[in-house]
Structure formats: structure tokens, C-alpha cells
Amino acid sequence: CLQVIVTPTLGRFIGLLRNSDAAIATATLERVQAEVGDGSPIAWTIVCDALRPGMFSALFQHGDEPFTIAHLFTDPTSRLERMQASVLMLERAGKPQLLPHDDVELRPGDRLLVVGTDLARRLQQRYLDEPSTVQWVRSGNEPARGLLFRWWRQRDMKQAG
């Protein structure tokens, strides 16, 4: 299943899994199969780095809705679908949590060990770099980015208000 250790986070996860009971290992395999499918998933780490534009927006510009693991696993090309990826471990302040739930709020500095398809890994990069992706997944509205479209939106808002 997980053929090559490519990230230190994966090594720590495997060490924790070895010291856990069989139920955790079974739950891990079931989660990966259910959320990623059959085959050999790849592993990567996501760091909630507030210096990245997308993560800054996700962590600090959210109003009343916190940015959760569920948001991070929403397909940014189709917001009603989940990407073929699964979070195996959350490290917060050096403390690991195996198989965290989707409703866990993400915080600056959190590290997530993720397995999934290569497409899911590439799509998840949008959350790190593009604030508009975060806004679209949360609200369903893509922000106006170009000068003309921002002007048009402001004009429409003035006329409506």
C-alpha cells in the first residue's frame, strides 16, 4: 500500500501505528480504501503555513466559519465532491493525532500527513497558494480577480445597495 517513505511525517506515523492496537491499523486501511480507492496512494505533507497566500486566507479571513479538514479535502474544481485523498495524521504543537475527523479546525503550524492520488495532491496545492480557491469552496462564489471584473462587481454592488 504505502511503498516508499518519502516524508519524515510518514515515518513518525508508521512508528505510532506500530505501537497502536490492531483496530487503529484496520481503521487506517479502511479509511484509505474508502476515501482513496484501490491502488497505491502517494503520501505528502501539508503544512498550514500562514505565510502562504491561500493558507493565510483560510486561517485568518474566514468570518465565522473556521477552515477545517473537510474544506481542505473538497475538490476545488467541483466543490460538492471530495478529492481522492485521506488525512492519516494531524500534528499540532508536536503532538500527533491519528485519523483526525473532517470537522477538525486547522490552525497555523498544523502538519497533515495525507495519502491519495497525484491529482488530489496537485489540486490541494491550490489551497496553499490561491486565496480565491478557499473563498470559492466556502461560499460557492468565485471572487472577481481581474480589474474589469472587480470594477463591474463594485458597480453592481453600488446599484443594488
Side-chain angles (χ1 to χ4, degrees):
C1 182
L2 301 172
Q3 297 172 353
V4 178
I5 296 179
V6 294
T7 172
T9 310
L10 183 57
R12 289 192 295 275
F13 170 75
I14 290 172
L16 289 169
L17 205 56
R18 282 185 183 145
N19 295 326
S20 299
D21 59 21
I24 298 289
T26 301
T28 300
L29 290 174
E30 288 173 354
R31 177 185 272 195
V32 171
Q33 286 179 333
E35 294 178 353
V36 180
D38 294 328
S40 296
I42 61 171
W44 66 93
T45 301
I46 295 177
V47 178
C48 295
D49 181 357
L51 296 178
R52 304 283 298 266
M55 287 308 296
F56 180 85
S57 174
L59 297 169
F60 298 113
Q61 299 174 331
H62 53 71
D64 293 334
E65 183 182 6
F67 193 67
T68 65
I69 289 174
H71 288 118
L72 191 60
F73 285 82
T74 300
D75 185 334
T77 63
S78 179
R79 69 184 282 269
L80 300 178
E81 294 182 29
R82 182 182 173 94
M83 288 185 276
Q84 286 186 288
S86 182
V87 61
L88 300 181
M89 184 173 70
L90 164 68
E91 287 183 326
R92 178 174 288 159
K95 296 179 182 173
Q97 178 186 346
L98 298 177
L99 306 177
H101 295 284
D102 278 355
D103 61 352
V104 171
E105 180 180 348
L106 295 173
R107 297 183 186 153
D110 284 354
R111 298 176 67 83
L112 298 167
L113 173 63
V114 179
V115 293
T117 64
D118 186 54
L119 176 60
R121 182 189 57 77
R122 287 183 280 131
L123 288 173
Q124 256 182 359
Q125 290 300 309
R126 289 184 175 181
Y127 290 105
L128 301 175
D129 299 322
E130 300 176 19
S132 60
T133 300
V134 173
Q135 185 176 344
W136 186 77
V137 166
R138 280 191 169 141
S139 68
N141 298 316
E142 186 169 350
R145 290 192 248 176
L147 180 63
L148 175 64
F149 293 109
R150 287 194 310 262
W151 170 82
W152 194 324
R153 184 176 188 156
Q154 286 177 345
R155 182 185 67 111
D156 288 349
M157 290 172 67
K158 286 179 184 176
Q159 288 177 353

